[in-house]
Amino acid sequence: MSELAFFIDYSRCIGCQACVHACEECDTHRGRSLIHLETIERRDSVQTAPQVCMHCEDPICAQVCPADAIKQTAEGVVQSSLKPRCIGCSNCVLACPFGVPKYDGDADQMMKCDMCYDRTSTGRRPMCATVCPSGALAFTTIEEIMQTRQGRAVNDWQFGDQHVRTKVFVLVPTEVTRVNVAVIPLSSLRRSQPPPVPYDVAALLEGQ
Amino acid sequence: MTASPRADVARATGWGLFIASLVLAGIYFGSRRLRDFDAALVPYAGASVFSAFGLGYRYSMWLTKPPTRLFWRRGWRLFFAPSRVAQNLSRLAALFAVNIVAQRFIEKRSPLRWAAHWFIFWGCMLAAAVTFPLSFGWIHFETAGAVQERYQAFVFGLRVFTFDLASPLAPLVFNVLDISAVLVIVGVSLAMWRRGRDRGALAVQQFGADLLPLVMLFAVSITGVFLTVSTHLMRGLHFVFLSQLHAVTVIFTLLYLPFGKFFHIFQRPAQLGVAFYRETGAKGEAAPCARCGEPFASRMHVEDLKQVERELGIRYEAVRVKASAPDSTTAHYQDICPACRRKNLALTQDALWRRGE
C-alpha cells in the first residue's frame, strides 16, 4: 500500500460545516477554523465546496513572501507563516492560486491549513477529512480512492501559463491528466433574476 | 530585474564589510582612539564586528528577493512623500509604541507567548544597551580622583554623571546586567513552559530554530548571574572559569545573531513599513475582482504583486475566461479575488465532469 494522501472531491460536498468546526480543534491553530467552505452561487444553487491548502510543491505563497516566513516540512506540508517572521503584508493571501491563506488582523499574521500537522505528522488523519460525512475530503491511500471512486486523482494544475503541482489531489474524469483552470464568470451561472430591491425576506416566505 | 546570484553575493559582501567597518570605526573613534577601550573585552568587540558583517550580508541578501525589495522601496517612498512626512512621523511613533514597545500583536497570538517575549525582549534590550557600549569603549567608569567612594560615568570620554557608592543608584548601575539576566531567565522559563505544554507548538517546533535560541539566551544569562554569585556569595570561587564560560556563550550568541532566529529582530521593523503600505493602499483606489466585482485589495497592492510575480516568473497573465458567448477572452488571475478563486475551482471540477455527460 502506498502512503496516505489527501483527496478533494468538491462535487461531494453537502455544506454540513462539520469540517469547519473540526478544523478549530487542530492544535496548531486551536479555536480558529482555517478551512474555507464556499457557497458557490447562493442565489441559484445550494452548491458548496470546501477548500483546504493544496500544499504546492513550489508554493507561490512562499515565493511572494517578503519575510521568508512560509516554510515546507520534509514531507512537503506548507506551514502557516512563522510567527517571528510574518509581517502581515498579505502577499500570500492575494497570490495563492487556490485562495487559501487567511490574514488575521489582530495577530497581524497569515495563518493557513497545515494539514493538521499535529496529527498527520504522527500518522493520524486531518480533522476535516476525519469528520467529512460525504467523502468530499478524504485522507487515504490512492489504491482505496481508485477502488471506491470514479475518475482519477490528479495533482497537476494550470493557471494560464502557470503550472502548479500539489501534494493534495482532486478527483476528475479519467481522461483528465491536468486541471486547466478557466475563470467561470458569474453571468454564466445565474439563471434567475435578482429579487426587487429592497425586498422583505419574511414577506416573501409568507407569500405576501 | 533581479541581478545574478554572484552579483547579489558580491553586493551583500560589500554591505557586510561596510557595516563591519562602521562598527570598527565606531569602536576606534568612540573609545577616543582606543584610550577608553578595555583590552579584556576584545573577544566581545571582535564577535560584534563579525556579527555586524553577518547582519549586513544577510540583510542585503534578504533585500534581493523581489517582494522584499519592492516593499522596501515602496515603503520608504510612501514614508518620505513630502506632503506626508510630518503625519507619517507621528504615525510611526504610534506604531512603534504599539508594535515594538508593547508588542500587542503578540498578545493577540497568545498571552503567554507575549509575556515570555516581553521579558526576553526587554532583558535583551537592557543588556545590549549596556554591554555593546561597554565592550566598544564608549562608556567607562572611574573613581573620582582621590575620593574612592564616588564613581564617575563617562560616555565617549565625557563625564555624564557621578554617584556615591552608598547611594541607591549604585547597586542599580552595578547590577543592571543582573537585572537584565533575571528578565531574560523569566522570559525563557515562560517560553520553555509554553513550548513544553502547547500541543501546537510541540507539533511544529524544531530544536535548531525554536529551542536553541532559548538555550543560548539562558546560557548567557545564567553564566552572567553566576559571576555575581561567585563574587558576592562565594568569595570569587571559579571566577576566571565562569567569566570565560560567560564569554564563550556571549560570543557564540553574537556569531549566531545574523543566521538564526534572532535575525527577526532586524526584520521586524518591516512590519511598520507594511502598516504604512496597507494604510496608504486603503486610502487609495480599490481593486475590484474581475469575476464578482467586489473590491478585495488596494489597486496599488495588486499591481505591485503583478510586478513581483513577473520578476519571480509566476505566469498568471492569461487565464482563459470561459464565456457562454464564443468570444472567449483571458483575465489576469491576480485580478480574481481569493473567494472567487476557491469557488472557481469547484466549478472547474464540475465542468470537467459535465463535459463527459
Side-chain angles (χ1 to χ4, degrees), chain B residues 140-315:
Chain B
H140 72 280
F141 297 93
E142 286 178 9
T143 48
V147 189
Q148 294 293 309
E149 288 76 28
R150 286 183 70 74
Y151 245 54
Q152 296 172 320
F154 293 85
V155 177
F156 297 123
L158 301 171
R159 191 173 61 205
V160 223
F161 67 95
T162 306
F163 57 94
D164 285 329
L165 289 182
S167 70
L169 184 63
L172 280 178
V173 171
F174 293 135
N175 291 301
V176 65
L177 287 177
D178 291 318
I179 295 168
S180 67
V182 169
L183 288 173
V184 172
I185 290 169
V186 169
V188 168
S189 303
L190 290 173
M192 284 293 199
W193 192 69
R194 187 185 76 82
R195 289 194 171 277
R197 293 171 58 88
D198 185 315
R199 285 181 292 181
L202 284 168
V204 297
Q205 70 191 1
Q206 296 172 339
F207 178 78
D210 299 305
L211 300 179
L212 181 62
L214 291 173
V215 170
M216 285 198 289
L217 289 175
F218 182 78
V220 169
S221 304
I222 202 71
T223 53
V225 172
F226 281 167
L227 292 174
T228 304
V229 171
S230 169
T231 304
H232 294 293
L233 302 179
M234 303 177 78
R235 293 182 296 169
L237 184 69
H238 299 313
F239 188 87
V240 174
F241 167 73
L242 289 173
S243 63
Q244 287 173 348
L245 184 66
H246 180 64
V248 167
T249 61
V250 172
I251 291 166
F252 188 67
T253 304
L254 284 171
L255 301 183
Y256 175 82
L257 195 63
F259 305 110
K261 187 172 191 172
F262 295 142
F263 188 66
H264 82 272
I265 300 164
F266 305 94
Q267 282 183 313
R268 181 51 58 187
Q271 183 186 26
L272 306 183
V274 165
F276 275 106
Y277 183 86
R278 197 185 299 119
E279 288 171 11
T280 308
K283 288 175 191 159
E285 186 190 349
C289 171
R291 182 174 177 271
C292 68
E294 294 293 323
F296 68 100
S298 71
R299 169 65 65 198
M300 175 175 71
H301 197 174
V302 170
E303 296 305 321
D304 283 348
L305 204 45
K306 286 179 182 174
Q307 183 186 327
V308 166
E309 286 163 357
R310 270 196 300 276
E311 290 183 33
L312 290 169
I314 298 166
R315 294 169 297 169

Side-chain angles (χ1 to χ4, degrees), chain A residues 8-12 27-30 32 36-41 47-49 51 54 60 62-68 79 82-101 103-104 106-109 114 117-119 121 150-152 157 159-164 170-176 178-189 191, chain B residues 58 62 65-69 71 99 104-106 108-110 113 194-195 198-201 203-204 206 210 259-261 263-265 267-272 274-275 277-278 290-293 296-298 301-302 305 308-309 312-324 331 333-334 336-356:
Chain A
I8 295 186
D9 187 349
Y10 301 109
S11 63
R12 283 193 171 214
D27 279 328
T28 56
H29 50 88
R30 184 168 281 273
R32 285 195 190 102
H36 298 271
L37 182 66
E38 294 296 338
T39 301
I40 304 300
E41 179 49 45
Q47 184 183 4
T48 53
Q51 187 63 56
M54 303 299 283
I60 288 176
Q63 292 181 51
V64 299
C65 176
D68 278 334
Q79 300 277 21
L82 294 173
K83 288 186 175 72
R85 288 195 187 179
C86 181
I87 53 175
C89 70
S90 293
N91 265 8
C92 53
V93 175
L94 296 179
C96 169
F98 304 99
V100 167
Y103 170 67
D104 181 335
D106 283 340
D108 203 8
Q109 187 201 358
D114 61 2
Y117 195 67
D118 57 316
R119 296 172 60 83
S121 61
Q150 291 191 9
R152 68 191 297 177
W157 305 77
F159 300 87
D161 294 325
Q162 181 64 38
H163 173 238
V164 175
V170 66
L171 288 156
V172 291
T174 313
E175 68 275 14
V176 177
R178 178 180 288 192
V179 181
N180 196 345
V181 177
V183 176
I184 300 173
L186 281 174
S187 56
S188 68
L189 303 172
R191 296 187 179 86
Chain B
R58 178 141 186 220
W62 182 45
K65 278 187 63 127
T68 321
R69 191 170 57 235
F71 270 122
N99 287 347
R104 294 299 302 274
F105 65 99
I106 304 179
K108 306 289 182 190
R109 294 174 181 179
S110 154
R113 188 186 186 102
R194 187 185 76 82
R195 289 194 171 277
D198 185 315
R199 285 181 292 181
V204 297
Q206 296 172 339
D210 299 305
F259 305 110
K261 187 172 191 172
F263 188 66
H264 82 272
I265 300 164
Q267 282 183 313
R268 181 51 58 187
Q271 183 186 26
L272 306 183
V274 165
Y277 183 86
R278 197 185 299 119
R291 182 174 177 271
C292 68
F296 68 100
S298 71
H301 197 174
V302 170
L305 204 45
V308 166
E309 286 163 357
L312 290 169
I314 298 166
R315 294 169 297 169
Y316 274 161
E317 287 88 351
V319 174
R320 193 164 52 88
V321 176
K322 191 178 260 185
S324 45
Y333 199 56
Q334 199 51 65
I336 309 292
C337 73
C340 277
R341 292 181 189 190
R342 296 190 291 269
K343 294 176 184 181
N344 202 60
L345 293 169
L347 290 167
T348 299
Q349 187 217 26
D350 197 36
L352 289 172
W353 284 104
R354 283 172 190 271
R355 203 168 59 182

Side-chain angles (χ1 to χ4, degrees), chain A residues 3-6 53-59 71-79 112 114-124 139 155 165-169, chain B residues 202-206:
Chain A
E3 62 183 28
L4 295 168
F6 203 115
C53 177
M54 303 299 283
H55 299 283
C56 305
E57 281 185 4
D58 186 10
K71 300 292 181 192
Q72 265 176 311
T73 67
E75 305 94 327
V77 171
V78 184
Q79 300 277 21
K112 58 177 275 300
D114 61 2
M115 208 188 268
C116 287
Y117 195 67
D118 57 316
R119 296 172 60 83
T120 51
S121 61
T122 56
R124 290 174 294 165
F139 192 73
N155 62 344
R165 182 186 284 263
T166 58
K167 185 176 173 68
V168 175
F169 292 82
Chain B
L202 284 168
V204 297
Q205 70 191 1
Q206 296 172 339

Side-chain angles (χ1 to χ4, degrees), chain B residues 21-32 136 138 156:
Chain B
S21 307
L22 282 184
V23 174
L24 273 173
I27 291 172
Y28 183 73
F29 292 108
S31 63
R32 299 191 303 155
F136 292 170
W138 293 350
F156 297 123

Side-chain angles (χ1 to χ4, degrees), chain B residues 50-69:
Chain B
F50 177 83
S51 193
F53 169 79
L55 287 171
Y57 179 89
R58 178 141 186 220
Y59 212 93
S60 176
M61 287 303 282
W62 182 45
L63 289 179
T64 61
K65 278 187 63 127
T68 321
R69 191 170 57 235

